[in-house]
Amino acid sequence: MKVVRLEPGSRFDWPAPAVTIGNFDGVHRGHQALVATAVEEAHRRQGAAAALTFDPHPARVLDAARAGPALTTLEQKAELLSGLGLDALVVVPFDAPRAAQSAEAFVREVLAETLHARAVVVGRAFRFGHDRAGDAALLARLGEALGFAVQAIAPVEHEGEPISSTRVRRALQKGRVEEAAALLGRPYFVDGTVARGEGRGRALGVPTANLDLLNEALPALGVYAGWCRLLEAGERPRWPSVVNVGTRPTFAGRHTTVEAHLLDRDLDLYGRHMRLEFVARLRDEQAFPGPQALVEQIRRDIERARPLLDDGSGRKL
């Protein structure tokens, strides 16, 4: 999948493009349905399938104080979208002039004149343009005049309610990583670089990989069962892990950290890029009377995590 940034004067010569539009934060199951429809339409037309997104997220420009934490970086978004059969991801820089652009001008400039779209796929609740004045009905009317068809698809629901990035964020804020996974269609993950911590885990016999994170959104403070893997070329095995998101209250910590204890492994991972996938919440974070009580609880956490991370291979976890 090509990733291209829309610049002034950009022109693309893709065959009969089918384009889906959205912020795609988290690339959840609703986003996946939009992409699947665009890919199907592109195949029907023997054309190219593209997703169009914005960077930064429009909420950061329009109302930064109320913008929620992003679920994915732009690079993670591209990675997730690339696995869905798209030919291209078009990134539209979003700034004050773009925010002031009318819905009609956006459609003519970007969809018609730049991308030469022949089909456009959006959600039924899609809004765009200055003051969010444009909707799917306007897009369809403009498409008739400019030579592209529009499909507005129904939202994907989970437990009777539409899936949205906001809903995923709310699940994470409550520590409900299982619910977040059901909405995303995969476990929620964060990426980062393994940094040197204070060495307490190793001294206690439970060494941890401490992450300097790229992601903004985190699950609620607590202890989780999860998977770790390195973000490097070649074979990338997953390691079962117990992950702590918290302030280390037993040691009077003040800042939120994310650290993972890899089950039955002690690896030198400093400086390497790692991904943590959150599978299940084990417990709330809590302060213990001393290091030994903490270690005993971590051992219980490990034994509780093992069956939750059983991958069916029969190997010891």
Side-chain angles (χ1 to χ4, degrees):
M1 183 187 76
K2 295 180 179 179
V3 179
V4 292
R5 194 168 182 87
L6 194 72
E7 303 291 351
S10 295
R11 292 292 183 273
F12 301 104
D13 189 22
W14 296 327
V19 182
T20 183
I21 310 171
N23 293 309
F24 300 109
D25 188 24
V27 192
H28 55 61
R29 288 169 48 211
H31 298 144
Q32 293 165 30
L34 290 172
V35 172
T37 302
V39 170
E40 180 181 353
E41 186 64 24
H43 289 169
R44 189 178 71 82
R45 296 171 178 268
Q46 297 183 321
L52 187 151
T53 193
F54 303 93
D55 182 55
H57 193 295
R60 299 293 173 91
V61 176
L62 299 172
D63 193 355
R66 297 181 61 184
L71 297 171
T72 46
T73 66
L74 180 60
E75 292 74 17
Q76 291 166 347
K77 186 187 301 185
E79 174 193 340
L80 291 165
L81 289 169
S82 70
L84 301 178
L86 289 168
D87 298 297
L89 173 64
V90 180
V91 180
V92 178
F94 196 88
D95 52 18
R98 181 67 72 184
Q101 188 176 36
S102 71
E104 293 86 347
F106 174 81
V107 170
R108 290 182 182 276
E109 176 201 336
V110 178
L111 296 180
E113 297 174 5
T114 302
L115 296 178
H116 307 292
R118 290 295 173 265
V120 176
V121 179
V122 295
R124 287 183 181 171
F126 176 67
R127 303 302 293 250
F128 67 104
H130 181 60
D131 285 340
R132 294 168 54 85
D135 58 11
L138 174 63
L139 185 62
R141 292 196 297 272
L142 292 171
E144 288 181 5
L146 296 171
F148 60 81
V150 173
Q151 289 191 56
I153 69 172
V156 176
E157 295 188 348
H158 176 71
E159 296 183 345
E161 296 183 10
I163 294 173
S164 67
S165 300
T166 297
R167 193 174 169 193
V168 176
R169 276 189 284 273
R170 288 173 180 165
L172 292 173
Q173 289 166 358
K174 296 176 181 178
R176 297 175 181 171
V177 295
E178 299 94 333
E179 179 184 347
L183 300 171
L184 291 166
R186 58 170 177 82
Y188 180 68
F189 65 74
V190 297
D191 295 342
T193 302
V194 180
R196 292 192 180 275
E198 298 177 358
R200 289 198 182 100
R202 183 169 298 280
L204 295 172
V206 282
T208 60
N210 301 271
L211 258 66
D212 184 2
L213 292 175
L214 295 174
N215 288 80
E216 297 177 356
L218 279 174
L221 302 188
V223 180
Y224 298 85
W227 293 97
C228 297
R229 66 177 174 86
L230 296 177
L231 294 175
E232 298 175 356
E235 184 180 358
R236 295 185 291 183
R238 294 192 309 169
W239 299 308
S241 308
V242 169
V243 181
N244 184 77
V245 179
T247 61
R248 302 169 178 162
T250 301
F251 303 102
R254 296 183 178 181
H255 304 291
T256 299
T257 62
V258 177
E259 51 189 330
H261 170 68
L262 280 58
L263 274 57
D264 309 314
R265 290 167 178 82
D266 186 1
L267 305 174
D268 182 2
L269 300 171
Y270 293 125
R272 302 179 76 175
H273 303 297
M274 177 178 283
R275 173 166 294 174
L276 302 182
E277 298 178 352
F278 295 88
V279 173
R281 184 175 177 87
L282 299 178
R283 61 175 174 87
D284 293 343
E285 184 179 49
Q286 62 189 101
F288 292 90
Q292 187 56 43
L294 171 61
V295 170
E296 291 172 0
Q297 179 59 56
I298 292 174
R299 299 297 182 197
R300 290 191 289 270
D301 296 337
I302 291 170
E303 292 312 307
R304 186 178 172 195
R306 289 187 190 279
L308 297 174
L309 300 171
D310 185 354
D311 62 2
S313 66
R315 62 187 174 87
K316 181 180 183 298
L317 295 181

